[in-house]
Each structure stands twice: as structure tokens, then as C-alpha cells.
Amino acid sequence: MKCLLCHETFYPPFTFRYFLTLQQEDPVCPRCRQRFSLIEEPICERCGRPYREPLCEDCKTWKTIGNALEKNRSVYQYNEWMQEVFARFKFRGDYVIAEAFRADFTNAFFRHFSRNVLLVPIPLSKERLIERGFNQAEALASFLPLPLWNALERRDHEKQSKKQKRERLTAPQFYVKDSKQIEGKDIVLIDDIYTTGATVYHAATQLRRYGASSVSSFTLIRA
């Protein structure tokens, strides 16, 4: 078969684990797979980045602002290889690349969260959705066999990557479309990348304001 990322032909090893569990073969060759860097302990207990102390400096700042977001957990570190693959996935609209993340994304989610949660993907603006062709957060959330609700809409149409850090931390980004669907629910926000934390913190603030019992987030990458 051909590797989903480098397009070179490779031959997945036959294992009884795949035969007995009917798991899909890895669509990524071993050489490309080993270039990903999974996040491992120790980590910051709030944002999930590799860190030796309980709280990183960014999370100490967020703690003074509020506690709307209980925690974030992520799958991969943002190394050079992930930067290249992520650009193809997010900015060049290569939807099929999401399959390269499926197994690691699903396994990591259920290490950190229970099944008794409601998934809420971070939305794109209409402009970004047209530009990219699909919502990366929704694509990732679709891997998880859990209830999903598009509870949020964007207020701000400007790309986050074009903003200064202070603007990201303070500008409101979302509003809640239907509070009845989230009242009393334990929610896990799904997004592609956690950078400053502003996106998921603002989303969590709105969801808690409209009745969510708790809000955490789960992202593919921790930058």
C-alpha cells in the first residue's frame, strides 16, 4: 500500500492483533510514523504541554483570569514534521490526511476523558470554511463515537494567526447558539491546535455561562 503522507509503497507487517481485533492497518509508513512526537508525561496539569512543574507560565496567567476550562489534553507536539503535515491538512484542504491521526487521536482521548461527555468542535467562520473546504475540528471529532453538538458560532472573522498574543487573549470569539443543548453537560471542546489557549478558554467561558457543568478541551497538537 502507499503511505498517506510520503506516497511511497510499503508493506504493513501482518500481526494477529490486527487480525483478531479487525483494526484497520496503519495508512502511514513506519518511517513517517516515527517522525510524529506523541506527548508523554510529565505535563502541565492544565494545558497538557510537556512540562516538569504542575503549572506552566501560560497556565499561571490563565488561572488569574478564570477557571472556565478545567484542562486541555493534546496528542502530538508541534515539531517540524508535524508543522509540514499540519499545513497540508489545515491550509491546503487535504482532508484525507486526517486518517493519519485517527488511531492516536482516539486512543489519547479515552486515556484522558470518559465517554459521558458531549463533544463540541470549535467552529470556523463562514469565510474560513469556504477557504479551507472543511472544518478540521469536526473532522477530528468524527473519529470519536460520542454525541456531538455544534453549539458555537464565531463572532470574529479575522484569522487568529494574524493577531498579537494580547489580542488573542482578550478578544471575544464565540457565542452560544442553543443553550438548552448544553445545560448540565460535561463538555469536551475539540480543536486542531492549542497555541496560547485563547480559543478554547473563550469557548469554555461562553459554554459555562450558558449552563455547561464542566468544560475541558482536547486538541490534536500542543504548540
Side-chain angles (χ1 to χ4, degrees):
M1 62 186 296
K2 285 192 175 181
C3 175
L4 192 63
L5 301 179
C6 70
H7 307 298
E8 294 292 328
T9 299
F10 74 105
Y11 301 95
F14 175 83
T15 66
F16 281 103
R17 177 169 172 265
Y18 281 100
F19 178 75
L20 294 174
T21 62
L22 301 180
Q23 287 182 299
Q24 291 183 326
E25 294 177 333
D26 191 346
V28 176
C29 72
R31 186 173 65 89
C32 287
R33 177 61 65 193
Q34 69 182 5
R35 297 175 72 183
F36 289 109
S37 179
L38 290 166
I39 292 176
E40 299 177 346
E41 302 280 352
I43 59 174
C44 170
E45 64 186 27
R46 288 285 294 264
C47 73
R49 76 192 302 177
Y51 205 73
R52 294 194 174 276
E53 301 297 326
L55 286 180
C56 68
E57 295 305 312
D58 283 350
C59 287
K60 289 177 183 177
T61 300
W62 278 118
K63 195 172 182 180
T64 65
I65 297 173
N67 293 304
L69 187 78
E70 291 198 356
K71 67 179 181 181
N72 174 77
R73 292 295 180 264
S74 304
V75 185
Y76 300 110
Q77 296 186 59
Y78 197 44
N79 59 12
E80 289 185 10
W81 170 242
M82 175 55 80
Q83 186 175 6
E84 177 185 333
V85 174
F86 186 61
R88 289 168 57 188
F89 173 54
K90 183 168 184 174
F91 300 113
R92 299 175 202 165
D94 199 343
Y95 185 95
V96 72
I97 283 180
E99 288 297 326
F101 313 132
R102 179 189 289 269
D104 286 341
F105 189 84
T106 303
N107 291 337
F109 182 91
F110 289 115
R111 281 202 308 272
H112 299 298
F113 301 101
S114 78
R115 292 179 176 270
N116 299 317
V117 297
L118 176 66
L119 305 179
V120 174
I122 293 294
L124 294 176
S125 68
K126 292 180 181 179
E127 290 82 359
R128 295 288 84 75
L129 187 59
I130 292 171
E131 178 184 306
R132 296 174 187 172
F134 67 100
N135 182 341
Q136 296 78 23
E138 287 187 14
L140 294 167
S142 71
F143 294 151
L144 303 171
L146 297 173
L148 180 151
W149 182 253
N150 288 299
L152 299 168
E153 281 196 15
R154 286 271 181 183
R155 288 184 182 276
D156 186 2
H157 302 308
E158 184 179 352
K159 289 182 180 180
Q160 290 297 298
S161 59
K162 290 186 176 181
K163 293 182 178 180
Q164 298 297 319
K165 183 174 182 178
R166 180 174 294 276
E167 291 180 279
R168 293 189 190 187
L169 296 180
T170 59
Q173 297 176 26
F174 306 100
Y175 68 88
V176 174
K177 294 191 291 185
D178 186 353
S179 61
K180 292 181 181 179
Q181 299 295 329
I182 64 170
E183 289 177 358
K185 300 291 179 62
D186 293 315
I187 290 174
V188 178
L189 294 160
I190 303 295
D191 204 5
D192 48 20
I193 188 168
Y194 182 117
T195 306
T196 65
T199 297
V200 291
Y201 268 90
H202 285 302
T205 298
Q206 291 299 311
L207 292 168
R208 288 298 302 275
R209 184 175 297 166
Y210 284 89
S213 179
S214 70
V215 184
S216 295
S217 61
F218 185 64
T219 66
L220 180 69
I221 303 163
R222 178 61 175 91

Short mmCIF file of all heavy atoms in Angstrom, two decimals, residues 154-210:
data_model
loop_
_atom_site.label_atom_id
_atom_site.label_comp_id
_atom_site.label_asym_id
_atom_site.label_seq_id
_atom_site.Cartn_x
_atom_site.Cartn_y
_atom_site.Cartn_z
N ARG A 154 -18.79 31.61 15.43
CA ARG A 154 -17.74 32.62 15.52
C ARG A 154 -18.32 34.04 15.54
O ARG A 154 -19.22 34.36 14.77
CB ARG A 154 -16.81 32.52 14.32
CG ARG A 154 -15.86 31.34 14.36
CD ARG A 154 -14.59 31.71 15.05
NE ARG A 154 -13.66 30.60 15.07
CZ ARG A 154 -12.48 30.64 15.68
NH1 ARG A 154 -12.09 31.74 16.30
NH2 ARG A 154 -11.70 29.58 15.68
N ARG A 155 -17.76 34.87 16.40
CA ARG A 155 -18.04 36.31 16.36
C ARG A 155 -17.01 37.03 15.49
O ARG A 155 -17.31 37.99 14.82
CB ARG A 155 -17.95 36.91 17.77
CG ARG A 155 -19.08 36.55 18.70
CD ARG A 155 -18.91 37.29 20.00
NE ARG A 155 -19.94 36.95 20.97
CZ ARG A 155 -21.14 37.52 21.01
NH1 ARG A 155 -21.45 38.44 20.13
NH2 ARG A 155 -22.02 37.16 21.93
N ASP A 156 -15.78 36.53 15.55
CA ASP A 156 -14.65 37.23 14.96
C ASP A 156 -14.22 36.50 13.70
O ASP A 156 -13.94 35.31 13.73
CB ASP A 156 -13.50 37.26 15.97
CG ASP A 156 -12.33 38.09 15.50
OD1 ASP A 156 -12.42 38.66 14.41
OD2 ASP A 156 -11.33 38.15 16.22
N HIS A 157 -14.14 37.19 12.60
CA HIS A 157 -13.81 36.55 11.33
C HIS A 157 -12.34 36.68 10.95
O HIS A 157 -11.91 36.13 9.96
CB HIS A 157 -14.66 37.14 10.20
CG HIS A 157 -16.13 36.98 10.45
ND1 HIS A 157 -16.70 35.77 10.75
CD2 HIS A 157 -17.13 37.89 10.45
CE1 HIS A 157 -18.01 35.92 10.91
NE2 HIS A 157 -18.29 37.20 10.75
N GLU A 158 -11.56 37.40 11.74
CA GLU A 158 -10.15 37.56 11.42
C GLU A 158 -9.37 36.33 11.86
O GLU A 158 -9.62 35.75 12.91
CB GLU A 158 -9.57 38.79 12.12
CG GLU A 158 -8.11 39.06 11.75
CD GLU A 158 -7.56 40.30 12.43
OE1 GLU A 158 -8.35 41.02 13.06
OE2 GLU A 158 -6.35 40.54 12.32
N LYS A 159 -8.40 35.91 11.05
CA LYS A 159 -7.59 34.76 11.39
C LYS A 159 -6.84 35.00 12.69
O LYS A 159 -6.24 36.05 12.90
CB LYS A 159 -6.56 34.48 10.28
CG LYS A 159 -7.16 33.95 9.00
CD LYS A 159 -6.06 33.65 8.00
CE LYS A 159 -6.63 33.10 6.69
NZ LYS A 159 -5.56 32.82 5.72
N GLN A 160 -6.84 33.99 13.57
CA GLN A 160 -6.13 34.10 14.83
C GLN A 160 -4.62 34.24 14.61
O GLN A 160 -3.94 34.91 15.37
CB GLN A 160 -6.41 32.86 15.69
CG GLN A 160 -7.83 32.80 16.21
CD GLN A 160 -8.15 33.95 17.14
OE1 GLN A 160 -7.53 34.10 18.19
NE2 GLN A 160 -9.10 34.76 16.75
N SER A 161 -4.10 33.62 13.56
CA SER A 161 -2.66 33.67 13.31
C SER A 161 -2.17 35.08 12.99
O SER A 161 -0.98 35.36 13.07
CB SER A 161 -2.29 32.72 12.18
OG SER A 161 -2.98 33.05 10.99
N LYS A 162 -3.09 35.98 12.61
CA LYS A 162 -2.71 37.35 12.26
C LYS A 162 -2.72 38.29 13.47
O LYS A 162 -2.36 39.44 13.36
CB LYS A 162 -3.64 37.90 11.18
CG LYS A 162 -3.46 37.25 9.82
CD LYS A 162 -4.30 37.93 8.77
CE LYS A 162 -4.04 37.34 7.39
NZ LYS A 162 -4.84 38.01 6.35
N LYS A 163 -3.18 37.79 14.62
CA LYS A 163 -3.32 38.64 15.80
C LYS A 163 -2.09 38.55 16.70
O LYS A 163 -1.38 37.55 16.73
CB LYS A 163 -4.55 38.22 16.61
CG LYS A 163 -5.86 38.48 15.90
CD LYS A 163 -7.01 38.08 16.81
CE LYS A 163 -8.34 38.37 16.16
NZ LYS A 163 -9.46 38.00 17.03
N GLN A 164 -1.87 39.63 17.46
CA GLN A 164 -0.87 39.61 18.50
C GLN A 164 -1.40 38.78 19.67
O GLN A 164 -2.60 38.57 19.82
CB GLN A 164 -0.57 41.04 18.97
CG GLN A 164 0.00 41.93 17.89
CD GLN A 164 1.34 41.43 17.38
OE1 GLN A 164 2.19 41.00 18.17
NE2 GLN A 164 1.53 41.49 16.07
N LYS A 165 -0.49 38.31 20.53
CA LYS A 165 -0.90 37.44 21.64
C LYS A 165 -1.93 38.11 22.52
O LYS A 165 -2.91 37.50 22.94
CB LYS A 165 0.32 37.03 22.45
CG LYS A 165 -0.01 36.05 23.58
CD LYS A 165 1.23 35.56 24.28
CE LYS A 165 0.87 34.57 25.37
NZ LYS A 165 2.08 34.03 26.04
N ARG A 166 -1.73 39.41 22.85
CA ARG A 166 -2.67 40.10 23.73
C ARG A 166 -4.07 40.14 23.12
O ARG A 166 -5.07 39.99 23.81
CB ARG A 166 -2.18 41.52 24.01
CG ARG A 166 -3.11 42.33 24.93
CD ARG A 166 -2.49 43.66 25.28
NE ARG A 166 -1.31 43.46 26.10
CZ ARG A 166 -1.34 43.29 27.42
NH1 ARG A 166 -2.50 43.27 28.05
NH2 ARG A 166 -0.24 43.14 28.11
N GLU A 167 -4.15 40.34 21.79
CA GLU A 167 -5.45 40.35 21.13
C GLU A 167 -6.12 38.99 21.23
O GLU A 167 -7.33 38.90 21.44
CB GLU A 167 -5.28 40.72 19.65
CG GLU A 167 -4.87 42.16 19.40
CD GLU A 167 -4.75 42.42 17.91
OE1 GLU A 167 -3.70 42.05 17.33
OE2 GLU A 167 -5.70 42.95 17.32
N ARG A 168 -5.36 37.92 21.09
CA ARG A 168 -5.93 36.58 21.19
C ARG A 168 -6.49 36.32 22.58
O ARG A 168 -7.50 35.63 22.74
CB ARG A 168 -4.86 35.52 20.89
CG ARG A 168 -4.36 35.52 19.46
CD ARG A 168 -3.49 34.30 19.25
NE ARG A 168 -2.78 34.35 17.98
CZ ARG A 168 -2.06 33.34 17.50
NH1 ARG A 168 -1.98 32.23 18.17
NH2 ARG A 168 -1.44 33.46 16.35
N LEU A 169 -5.81 36.84 23.59
CA LEU A 169 -6.22 36.56 24.96
C LEU A 169 -7.47 37.32 25.37
O LEU A 169 -8.20 36.87 26.24
CB LEU A 169 -5.07 36.91 25.92
CG LEU A 169 -3.77 36.10 25.78
CD1 LEU A 169 -2.76 36.56 26.80
CD2 LEU A 169 -4.03 34.61 25.94
N THR A 170 -7.71 38.48 24.77
CA THR A 170 -8.79 39.35 25.26
C THR A 170 -10.00 39.44 24.35
O THR A 170 -11.10 39.75 24.81
CB THR A 170 -8.25 40.77 25.50
OG1 THR A 170 -7.71 41.28 24.27
CG2 THR A 170 -7.16 40.77 26.55
N ALA A 171 -9.85 39.18 23.06
CA ALA A 171 -10.97 39.38 22.13
C ALA A 171 -11.99 38.26 22.24
O ALA A 171 -11.64 37.08 22.16
CB ALA A 171 -10.44 39.46 20.70
N PRO A 172 -13.28 38.58 22.43
CA PRO A 172 -14.32 37.54 22.42
C PRO A 172 -14.43 36.92 21.04
O PRO A 172 -14.35 37.60 20.03
CB PRO A 172 -15.58 38.31 22.80
CG PRO A 172 -15.32 39.71 22.39
CD PRO A 172 -13.84 39.93 22.60
N GLN A 173 -14.64 35.61 21.00
CA GLN A 173 -14.60 34.92 19.72
C GLN A 173 -15.88 34.16 19.36
O GLN A 173 -16.10 33.86 18.19
CB GLN A 173 -13.43 33.92 19.72
CG GLN A 173 -12.07 34.57 19.87
CD GLN A 173 -10.96 33.54 19.97
OE1 GLN A 173 -11.09 32.43 19.49
NE2 GLN A 173 -9.87 33.91 20.60
N PHE A 174 -16.71 33.82 20.36
CA PHE A 174 -17.82 32.91 20.11
C PHE A 174 -19.11 33.39 20.78
O PHE A 174 -19.08 34.16 21.73
CB PHE A 174 -17.51 31.51 20.65
CG PHE A 174 -16.23 30.94 20.15
CD1 PHE A 174 -15.08 30.98 20.93
CD2 PHE A 174 -16.15 30.36 18.89
CE1 PHE A 174 -13.89 30.46 20.46
CE2 PHE A 174 -14.97 29.84 18.42
CZ PHE A 174 -13.84 29.89 19.20
N TYR A 175 -20.21 32.86 20.27
CA TYR A 175 -21.46 32.93 21.03
C TYR A 175 -22.15 31.57 20.95
O TYR A 175 -21.90 30.77 20.03
CB TYR A 175 -22.37 34.05 20.53
CG TYR A 175 -22.95 33.89 19.16
CD1 TYR A 175 -24.15 33.21 18.96
CD2 TYR A 175 -22.31 34.45 18.05
CE1 TYR A 175 -24.69 33.08 17.69
CE2 TYR A 175 -22.85 34.31 16.77
CZ TYR A 175 -24.03 33.63 16.61
OH TYR A 175 -24.57 33.49 15.35
N VAL A 176 -23.00 31.29 21.94
CA VAL A 176 -23.69 30.01 22.04
C VAL A 176 -24.99 30.08 21.27
O VAL A 176 -25.80 30.99 21.46
CB VAL A 176 -23.96 29.66 23.52
CG1 VAL A 176 -24.80 28.39 23.62
CG2 VAL A 176 -22.64 29.48 24.27
N LYS A 177 -25.23 29.10 20.40
CA LYS A 177 -26.42 29.11 19.54
C LYS A 177 -27.66 28.61 20.26
O LYS A 177 -28.75 29.14 20.08
CB LYS A 177 -26.17 28.25 18.30
CG LYS A 177 -25.11 28.79 17.38
CD LYS A 177 -25.12 28.06 16.06
CE LYS A 177 -24.64 26.62 16.21
NZ LYS A 177 -24.54 25.94 14.89
N ASP A 178 -27.54 27.56 21.06
CA ASP A 178 -28.71 26.96 21.71
C ASP A 178 -28.30 26.44 23.08
O ASP A 178 -27.74 25.35 23.19
CB ASP A 178 -29.26 25.83 20.85
CG ASP A 178 -30.57 25.27 21.39
OD1 ASP A 178 -30.96 25.67 22.51
OD2 ASP A 178 -31.19 24.44 20.70
N SER A 179 -28.58 27.21 24.12
CA SER A 179 -28.12 26.85 25.45
C SER A 179 -28.81 25.60 26.00
O SER A 179 -28.25 24.91 26.86
CB SER A 179 -28.34 28.02 26.41
OG SER A 179 -29.72 28.34 26.51
N LYS A 180 -30.00 25.28 25.51
CA LYS A 180 -30.73 24.12 26.04
C LYS A 180 -29.97 22.81 25.81
O LYS A 180 -30.11 21.87 26.59
CB LYS A 180 -32.11 24.03 25.39
CG LYS A 180 -33.05 25.16 25.78
CD LYS A 180 -34.40 24.99 25.11
CE LYS A 180 -35.34 26.14 25.49
NZ LYS A 180 -36.67 26.01 24.82
N GLN A 181 -29.19 22.78 24.74
CA GLN A 181 -28.47 21.54 24.41
C GLN A 181 -27.24 21.31 25.29
O GLN A 181 -26.68 20.21 25.29
CB GLN A 181 -28.05 21.56 22.94
CG GLN A 181 -29.20 21.66 21.96
CD GLN A 181 -30.08 20.44 22.00
OE1 GLN A 181 -29.63 19.33 22.26
NE2 GLN A 181 -31.37 20.62 21.72
N ILE A 182 -26.79 22.35 25.99
CA ILE A 182 -25.54 22.21 26.77
C ILE A 182 -25.76 22.30 28.27
O ILE A 182 -24.83 22.03 29.04
CB ILE A 182 -24.51 23.28 26.34
CG1 ILE A 182 -25.03 24.69 26.66
CG2 ILE A 182 -24.16 23.14 24.87
CD1 ILE A 182 -23.98 25.76 26.49
N GLU A 183 -26.94 22.64 28.69
CA GLU A 183 -27.21 22.81 30.13
C GLU A 183 -26.93 21.51 30.88
O GLU A 183 -27.44 20.45 30.54
CB GLU A 183 -28.65 23.25 30.36
CG GLU A 183 -28.92 24.68 29.93
CD GLU A 183 -30.38 25.07 30.10
OE1 GLU A 183 -31.18 24.21 30.52
OE2 GLU A 183 -30.71 26.23 29.80
N GLY A 184 -26.10 21.62 31.92
CA GLY A 184 -25.80 20.47 32.76
C GLY A 184 -24.88 19.44 32.15
O GLY A 184 -24.65 18.39 32.75
N LYS A 185 -24.34 19.71 31.00
CA LYS A 185 -23.49 18.73 30.30
C LYS A 185 -22.01 18.92 30.63
O LYS A 185 -21.54 20.05 30.85
CB LYS A 185 -23.68 18.84 28.78
CG LYS A 185 -25.10 18.60 28.30
CD LYS A 185 -25.49 17.15 28.47
CE LYS A 185 -26.92 16.91 28.00
NZ LYS A 185 -27.13 17.20 26.59
N ASP A 186 -21.29 17.82 30.67
CA ASP A 186 -19.83 17.86 30.71
C ASP A 186 -19.34 17.88 29.27
O ASP A 186 -19.57 16.93 28.52
CB ASP A 186 -19.28 16.64 31.45
CG ASP A 186 -19.65 16.65 32.93
OD1 ASP A 186 -19.53 17.70 33.56
OD2 ASP A 186 -20.05 15.58 33.44
N ILE A 187 -18.67 18.95 28.91
CA ILE A 187 -18.33 19.19 27.50
C ILE A 187 -16.82 19.07 27.29
O ILE A 187 -16.02 19.52 28.12
CB ILE A 187 -18.81 20.58 27.07
CG1 ILE A 187 -20.35 20.59 27.00
CG2 ILE A 187 -18.21 21.00 25.72
CD1 ILE A 187 -20.96 21.93 26.73
N VAL A 188 -16.46 18.47 26.16
CA VAL A 188 -15.07 18.49 25.71
C VAL A 188 -15.02 19.19 24.36
O VAL A 188 -15.62 18.72 23.38
CB VAL A 188 -14.47 17.07 25.58
CG1 VAL A 188 -13.03 17.17 25.07
CG2 VAL A 188 -14.50 16.36 26.93
N LEU A 189 -14.36 20.32 24.33
CA LEU A 189 -14.13 21.04 23.08
C LEU A 189 -13.10 20.30 22.25
O LEU A 189 -12.10 19.80 22.79
CB LEU A 189 -13.62 22.45 23.36
CG LEU A 189 -14.59 23.40 24.06
CD1 LEU A 189 -13.83 24.55 24.71
CD2 LEU A 189 -15.60 23.94 23.06
N ILE A 190 -13.31 20.23 20.94
CA ILE A 190 -12.36 19.59 20.04
C ILE A 190 -11.80 20.64 19.09
O ILE A 190 -12.55 21.40 18.46
CB ILE A 190 -13.04 18.47 19.21
CG1 ILE A 190 -13.69 17.43 20.14
CG2 ILE A 190 -12.02 17.82 18.28
CD1 ILE A 190 -12.73 16.64 20.99
N ASP A 191 -10.47 20.69 18.99
CA ASP A 191 -9.84 21.63 18.06
C ASP A 191 -8.56 21.00 17.52
O ASP A 191 -8.10 19.96 18.01
CB ASP A 191 -9.53 22.95 18.76
CG ASP A 191 -9.42 24.12 17.78
OD1 ASP A 191 -9.67 23.91 16.57
OD2 ASP A 191 -9.09 25.24 18.21
N ASP A 192 -8.00 21.63 16.49
CA ASP A 192 -6.80 21.05 15.87
C ASP A 192 -5.52 21.38 16.62
O ASP A 192 -4.63 20.55 16.74
CB ASP A 192 -6.68 21.45 14.39
CG ASP A 192 -6.89 22.93 14.17
OD1 ASP A 192 -6.76 23.72 15.12
OD2 ASP A 192 -7.20 23.32 13.02
N ILE A 193 -5.40 22.63 17.16
CA ILE A 193 -4.14 23.02 17.78
C ILE A 193 -4.39 23.96 18.96
O ILE A 193 -5.28 24.81 18.92
CB ILE A 193 -3.20 23.68 16.75
CG1 ILE A 193 -1.81 23.93 17.34
CG2 ILE A 193 -3.81 24.94 16.18
CD1 ILE A 193 -0.76 24.29 16.30
N TYR A 194 -3.63 23.76 20.03
CA TYR A 194 -3.64 24.64 21.20
C TYR A 194 -2.34 25.42 21.15
O TYR A 194 -1.25 24.84 21.23
CB TYR A 194 -3.74 23.80 22.46
CG TYR A 194 -3.81 24.56 23.78
CD1 TYR A 194 -4.94 24.47 24.59
CD2 TYR A 194 -2.74 25.33 24.24
CE1 TYR A 194 -5.00 25.13 25.82
CE2 TYR A 194 -2.81 26.00 25.45
CZ TYR A 194 -3.93 25.89 26.24
OH TYR A 194 -3.99 26.56 27.45
N THR A 195 -2.45 26.74 21.02
CA THR A 195 -1.26 27.59 20.97
C THR A 195 -1.18 28.44 22.23
O THR A 195 -0.49 28.12 23.18
CB THR A 195 -1.26 28.47 19.71
OG1 THR A 195 -1.42 27.62 18.56
CG2 THR A 195 0.05 29.21 19.55
N THR A 196 -1.93 29.53 22.28
CA THR A 196 -1.98 30.35 23.50
C THR A 196 -3.06 29.87 24.46
O THR A 196 -3.04 30.21 25.64
CB THR A 196 -2.29 31.82 23.16
OG1 THR A 196 -3.61 31.90 22.59
CG2 THR A 196 -1.29 32.38 22.17
N GLY A 197 -4.01 29.11 23.96
CA GLY A 197 -5.14 28.69 24.78
C GLY A 197 -6.33 29.60 24.67
O GLY A 197 -7.41 29.30 25.19
N ALA A 198 -6.17 30.74 23.99
CA ALA A 198 -7.25 31.73 23.93
C ALA A 198 -8.53 31.16 23.33
O ALA A 198 -9.63 31.41 23.84
CB ALA A 198 -6.79 32.95 23.15
N THR A 199 -8.42 30.41 22.26
CA THR A 199 -9.61 29.90 21.57
C THR A 199 -10.45 29.03 22.50
O THR A 199 -11.65 29.26 22.67
CB THR A 199 -9.20 29.09 20.33
OG1 THR A 199 -8.54 29.96 19.40
CG2 THR A 199 -10.44 28.50 19.66
N VAL A 200 -9.83 28.04 23.13
CA VAL A 200 -10.61 27.13 23.97
C VAL A 200 -11.05 27.78 25.27
O VAL A 200 -12.12 27.47 25.80
CB VAL A 200 -9.85 25.82 24.23
CG1 VAL A 200 -9.74 25.01 22.94
CG2 VAL A 200 -8.47 26.06 24.82
N TYR A 201 -10.26 28.71 25.80
CA TYR A 201 -10.67 29.40 27.03
C TYR A 201 -11.88 30.28 26.78
O TYR A 201 -12.82 30.30 27.60
CB TYR A 201 -9.52 30.24 27.60
CG TYR A 201 -8.67 29.48 28.60
CD1 TYR A 201 -7.56 28.75 28.19
CD2 TYR A 201 -8.99 29.47 29.95
CE1 TYR A 201 -6.79 28.04 29.09
CE2 TYR A 201 -8.22 28.78 30.87
CZ TYR A 201 -7.11 28.06 30.44
OH TYR A 201 -6.35 27.35 31.34
N HIS A 202 -11.90 31.00 25.67
CA HIS A 202 -13.06 31.84 25.37
C HIS A 202 -14.29 31.00 25.09
O HIS A 202 -15.40 31.34 25.51
CB HIS A 202 -12.76 32.76 24.18
CG HIS A 202 -11.86 33.90 24.54
ND1 HIS A 202 -12.17 34.82 25.51
CD2 HIS A 202 -10.65 34.28 24.04
CE1 HIS A 202 -11.20 35.71 25.61
NE2 HIS A 202 -10.25 35.40 24.73
N ALA A 203 -14.10 29.89 24.39
CA ALA A 203 -15.23 28.99 24.13
C ALA A 203 -15.76 28.41 25.44
O ALA A 203 -16.98 28.34 25.66
CB ALA A 203 -14.80 27.87 23.18
N ALA A 204 -14.86 28.00 26.32
CA ALA A 204 -15.27 27.44 27.61
C ALA A 204 -16.02 28.45 28.45
O ALA A 204 -17.02 28.12 29.10
CB ALA A 204 -14.04 26.93 28.36
N THR A 205 -15.58 29.71 28.42
CA THR A 205 -16.25 30.76 29.19
C THR A 205 -17.70 30.91 28.75
O THR A 205 -18.61 31.02 29.58
CB THR A 205 -15.50 32.09 29.02
OG1 THR A 205 -14.17 31.94 29.55
CG2 THR A 205 -16.21 33.21 29.77
N GLN A 206 -17.92 30.91 27.44
CA GLN A 206 -19.28 31.04 26.93
C GLN A 206 -20.14 29.84 27.29
O GLN A 206 -21.30 29.97 27.68
CB GLN A 206 -19.26 31.23 25.41
CG GLN A 206 -18.69 32.56 24.95
CD GLN A 206 -19.52 33.72 25.50
OE1 GLN A 206 -20.74 33.74 25.40
NE2 GLN A 206 -18.84 34.70 26.09
N LEU A 207 -19.59 28.65 27.15
CA LEU A 207 -20.36 27.44 27.45
C LEU A 207 -20.71 27.35 28.93
O LEU A 207 -21.83 26.96 29.29
CB LEU A 207 -19.56 26.21 27.01
CG LEU A 207 -19.39 26.05 25.50
CD1 LEU A 207 -18.35 24.98 25.19
CD2 LEU A 207 -20.71 25.72 24.82
N ARG A 208 -19.78 27.73 29.80
CA ARG A 208 -20.08 27.72 31.23
C ARG A 208 -21.13 28.79 31.56
O ARG A 208 -22.01 28.57 32.40
CB ARG A 208 -18.81 27.97 32.03
CG ARG A 208 -17.83 26.81 32.05
CD ARG A 208 -18.41 25.56 32.69
NE ARG A 208 -18.86 25.77 34.05
CZ ARG A 208 -18.08 25.70 35.12
NH1 ARG A 208 -16.78 25.39 34.99
NH2 ARG A 208 -18.55 25.90 36.33
N ARG A 209 -21.05 29.91 30.90
CA ARG A 209 -22.00 30.99 31.13
C ARG A 209 -23.43 30.56 30.79
O ARG A 209 -24.40 31.02 31.40
CB ARG A 209 -21.59 32.21 30.30
CG ARG A 209 -22.46 33.45 30.52
CD ARG A 209 -21.88 34.61 29.75
NE ARG A 209 -20.56 34.96 30.24
CZ ARG A 209 -19.71 35.75 29.60
NH1 ARG A 209 -20.03 36.24 28.41
NH2 ARG A 209 -18.53 36.04 30.13
N TYR A 210 -23.54 29.67 29.82
CA TYR A 210 -24.87 29.24 29.39
C TYR A 210 -25.23 27.85 29.92
O TYR A 210 -26.09 27.19 29.35
CB TYR A 210 -24.97 29.27 27.87
CG TYR A 210 -25.12 30.68 27.35
CD1 TYR A 210 -24.00 31.45 27.04
CD2 TYR A 210 -26.38 31.26 27.20
CE1 TYR A 210 -24.14 32.75 26.58
CE2 TYR A 210 -26.53 32.56 26.74
CZ TYR A 210 -25.40 33.30 26.43
OH TYR A 210 -25.54 34.60 25.98
#
